[in-house]
Amino acid sequence: MDSGELGRVIDSRYKSWTKEWHDVPDNIVLPRVCPIRLGKTPSIEGPTDWYEYVPLDAVADEIRVINIMPSTDHSVPIIAHIAHCPIHCEVTFTALSYRWSVDGAQTQIIANGQKMLIKSGLEATLRAVRMQDKVVPLWVDAICINQSDTTERSRQIPRMGTIYDNAALVISYAGPATNDSDLALEMIKLIKELNILMMIWNDKDEMCAALYKLLCRSYFRRAWVLQEL
């Protein structure tokens, strides 16, 4: 890469892929290759080592996908397996659209049996999307791109449009639930079904107010939302 010589190897089955809108697939195909640095001793129960990124294979056109492990207890730490896979392959993943934390507060999670610090806002987002009985394969920029590697960042950030385009779906996390956020979501469903806002404006004042409050959240002030959605 430093010399400017780079070849790409793509499975011929995926060369002609274009975006197709579809429902969430019934059968989720998880990435299986979760590399770790030599000399590390992974442990889910009591990790002692800090996670260090393994470089992506640029020739294979790799990305990282994190498998968020399920839990019935919302309070337990996030356990994730960070996997590598080609961007065009049979792996199914969800892309995450969220608001980065503005403060520097960090929280520890377990990644590949090692300790990792992430922003507290992202940790709360991962808790919100974590399921009770199923693994969630997720692409999220703050983890799936090695933010301390400028070479990797300069290569991966321009590809974000392609990554989101190849996701099975995009989860938009606008923040935690409030006492009227469910009303706002009901309003969105009504608008989608009727397609004319004025038809329901007069008798849905409370729902309109809830939707206004939802759209005033800082998430919707992010320029990245336009690209991600």
Side-chain angles (χ1 to χ4, degrees):
M1 291 183 66
D2 292 338
S3 65
E5 298 178 5
L6 178 65
R8 297 182 65 195
V9 178
I10 300 177
D11 191 315
S12 59
R13 292 174 297 172
Y14 308 115
K15 279 186 176 180
S16 60
W17 268 16
T18 56
K19 184 64 180 178
E20 295 181 3
W21 298 103
H22 51 79
D23 294 327
V24 181
D26 294 327
N27 298 318
I28 301 297
V29 180
L30 299 174
R32 299 293 184 184
V33 180
C34 302
I36 60 173
R37 290 274 190 177
L38 291 175
K40 296 291 183 179
T41 306
S43 172
I44 299 297
E45 299 299 328
T48 56
D49 292 334
W50 288 97
Y51 178 82
E52 292 184 33
Y53 282 93
V54 175
L56 293 171
D57 188 332
V59 175
D61 217 13
E62 282 187 338
I63 61 172
R64 295 185 185 90
V65 175
I66 59 173
N67 293 327
I68 306 298
M69 305 309 292
S71 177
T72 56
D73 184 351
H74 182 76
S75 64
V76 301
I78 296 292
I79 297 177
H81 299 304
I82 302 178
H84 290 197
C85 66
I87 189 171
H88 296 301
C89 69
E90 67 280 2
V91 167
T92 311
F93 67 92
T94 296
L96 181 63
S97 174
Y98 72 107
R99 176 181 174 271
W100 278 46
S101 301
V102 294
D103 58 29
Q106 293 184 312
T107 304
Q108 182 176 301
I109 66 170
I110 299 174
N112 291 7
Q114 300 154 79
K115 298 182 289 184
M116 172 184 275
L117 288 177
I118 63 173
K119 292 290 185 67
S120 298
L122 174 56
E123 194 264 354
T125 304
L126 297 181
R127 287 185 183 277
V129 302
R130 180 172 60 181
M131 301 184 70
Q132 294 186 0
D133 56 353
K134 294 180 181 178
V135 177
V136 179
L138 199 65
W139 189 93
V140 52
D141 52 0
I143 296 178
C144 294
I145 298 177
N146 183 356
Q147 301 296 325
S148 62
D149 186 334
T150 55
T151 301
E152 180 176 310
R153 283 209 329 265
S154 64
R155 171 173 165 76
Q156 291 294 315
I157 290 177
R159 305 173 72 214
M160 287 179 63
T162 303
I163 292 171
Y164 277 85
D165 196 49
N166 282 276
L169 75 159
V170 175
I171 292 179
S172 296
Y173 182 72
T178 58
N179 57 2
D180 58 358
S181 54
D182 285 344
L183 276 178
L185 297 180
E186 287 298 320
M187 182 69 168
I188 292 172
K189 291 178 183 178
L190 285 174
I191 294 172
K192 180 180 178 182
E193 292 168 2
L194 297 178
N195 205 28
I196 301 177
L197 179 59
M198 294 307 297
M199 290 177 60
I200 55 175
W201 186 269
N202 292 332
D203 59 344
K204 299 295 182 183
D205 292 346
E206 187 177 3
M207 297 179 77
C208 289
L211 178 59
Y212 175 79
K213 287 176 61 179
L214 177 68
L215 295 178
C216 284
R217 293 189 181 195
S218 57
Y219 169 81
F220 294 102
R221 300 192 185 103
R222 294 175 63 248
W224 278 104
V225 167
L226 297 177
Q227 173 173 309
E228 293 165 354
L229 300 187

